[in-house]
């Protein structure tokens, strides 16, 4: 069998498969970019559960014409410059793969700073002048239309819509100081105002049936120094608020939701004796940790992390 170099468009599609698996993947990446841009207002607008349109509007710092020319190319990023930056990550995004991966599987356009860019995977992006606006509007249209083998694996629209909404909620929980709006097929599904407490944001965003008054905030830190190695706040329901499984226990580290069994276990152990046997609390832990003590660069979706030493935090 002959060895050959893959055409650029096919290579980009393969790379995109790690980043963009479904509409919720696009929502995740674009919301992370909006938060990293310093936005205080973010709107996510979907048509047909994101298959036809995903639009994210923010009031962040915006982009220049040069930024627009570069941003959707593979490995383009404003978040890191050297290998040492990987050890001190303070942003949600950093891999430089999101926009190029999205552009590989749909029609991507970005409007910012008085310019509109329509991305092309194989040629120069098309950039045209437009009205100046605050922030950025990103549109992803026709997801997987050029990749029908991937499109057939999408779930029915109702299911994909739920996954998009769940992703939206995950990104809003650590940011109660920002406002977020989720619109699906012209209907506002969630409208979260800025300035909420962690508890208020958790209860409203999760659409819990229980009142915020039934939840408490618990906090701790690693030491008494001005900059502790780690600190956390936990929002947790009183003993009368419980579930038959652990699905409503959430772990966030430096603004990212992660999968970390040992920290879920720590919350479970902490609640023993307070909740009915066989039940689990409703809780969210928001952990801030020195970036040098945690590695986010081990999973394409940044769902898993590696801690230098998790024992004290546990």
């Amino acid at each position: 069998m002959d060895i050959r170099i893959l055409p650029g468009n096919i290579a980009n599609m393969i790379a995109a498969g790690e980043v963009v698996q479904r509409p919720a993947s696009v929502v995740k990446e674009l919301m992370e970019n909006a938060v990293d841009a310093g936005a205080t207002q973010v709107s996510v607008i979907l048509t047909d559960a994101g298959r036809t349109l995903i639009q994210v509007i923010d009031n962040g710092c915006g982009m220049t014409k040069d930024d627009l020319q570069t941003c959707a190319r593979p490995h383009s990023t404003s978040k890191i410059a050297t290998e040492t930056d990987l050890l001190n990550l303070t942003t949600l995004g950093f891999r430089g793969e999101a926009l190029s991966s999205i552009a590989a599987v749909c029609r991507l356009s970005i409007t910012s700073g008085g310019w509109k860019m329509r991305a092309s995977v194989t040629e120069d992006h098309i950039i045209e002048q437009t009205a100046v606006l605050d922030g950025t509007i990103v549109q992803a249209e026709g997801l997987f239309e050029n990749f029908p083998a991937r499109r057939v694996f999408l779930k029915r629209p109702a299911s994909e819509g739920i996954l998009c909404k769940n992703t939206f909620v995950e990104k809003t929980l650590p940011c109660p100081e920002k406002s977020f709006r989720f619109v699906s097929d012209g209907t506002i599904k969630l409208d979260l105002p800025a300035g909420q407490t962690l508890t208020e944001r958790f209860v409203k965003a999760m659409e819990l049936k229980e009142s915020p008054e039934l939840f408490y905030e618990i906090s701790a830190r690693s030491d008494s120094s001005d900059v502790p190695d780690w600190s956390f706040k936990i929002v947790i329901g009183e003993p009368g608020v419980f579930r038959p499984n652990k699905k409503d226990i959430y772990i966030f580290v430096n603004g990212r939701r992660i999968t970390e069994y040992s920290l879920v276990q720590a919350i479970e152990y902490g609640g023993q004796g307070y909740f009915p046997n066989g039940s689990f609390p409703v809780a969210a832990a928001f952990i801030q940790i020195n970036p040098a003590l945690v590695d986010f660069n081990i999973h394409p979706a940044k769902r898993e992390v590696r801690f230098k030493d998790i024992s004290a935090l546990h």
Side-chain angles (χ1 to χ4, degrees), residues 81-205:
T82 68
E83 64 272 16
T84 57
D85 293 337
L86 288 172
L87 303 177
N88 294 280
L89 293 169
T90 57
T91 55
L92 296 176
F94 60 88
R95 290 173 176 269
E97 298 170 349
L99 292 178
S100 64
S101 294
I102 294 169
V105 293
C106 70
R107 301 189 304 278
L108 174 68
S109 64
I110 304 176
T111 304
S112 189
W115 301 92
K116 180 175 182 178
M117 180 274 287
R118 286 181 286 165
S120 170
V121 176
T122 57
E123 301 175 356
D124 288 341
H125 300 326
I126 299 171
I127 298 183
E128 53 195 11
Q129 202 158 9
T130 186
V132 177
L133 55 84
D134 293 329
T136 303
I137 300 174
V138 184
Q139 290 194 162
E141 300 176 89
L143 186 63
F144 298 137
E145 281 183 355
N146 63 334
F147 202 169
R150 178 65 63 83
R151 191 174 176 90
V152 298
F153 283 97
L154 293 178
K155 299 178 183 293
R156 58 191 179 90
S159 298
E160 293 293 348
I162 290 172
L163 291 172
C164 288
K165 186 178 178 183
N166 290 345
T167 297
F168 171 86
V169 168
E170 281 184 19
K171 296 302 171 187
T172 68
L173 290 179
C175 305
E177 74 282 2
K178 304 177 187 292
S179 69
F180 294 89
R181 176 174 288 181
F182 183 81
V183 181
S184 179
D185 293 327
T187 301
I188 299 175
K189 300 294 187 179
L190 267 178
D191 196 358
L192 305 173
Q196 294 179 306
T197 65
L198 271 176
T199 297
E200 290 169 340
R201 174 59 57 89
F202 181 62
V203 172
K204 183 168 184 180

Side-chain angles (χ1 to χ4, degrees), residues 282-305:
V282 176
F286 300 92
I287 300 161
Q288 291 296 319
I289 190 168
N290 183 336
L293 301 179
V294 62
D295 184 2
F296 289 97
N297 194 31
I298 66 172
H299 189 274
K302 300 184 282 287
R303 275 294 194 186
E304 300 171 8
V305 301

Side-chain angles (χ1 to χ4, degrees), residues 44 143 156 209 252 255 273 284:
V44 176
L143 186 63
R156 58 191 179 90
K209 61 181 184 297
F252 293 85

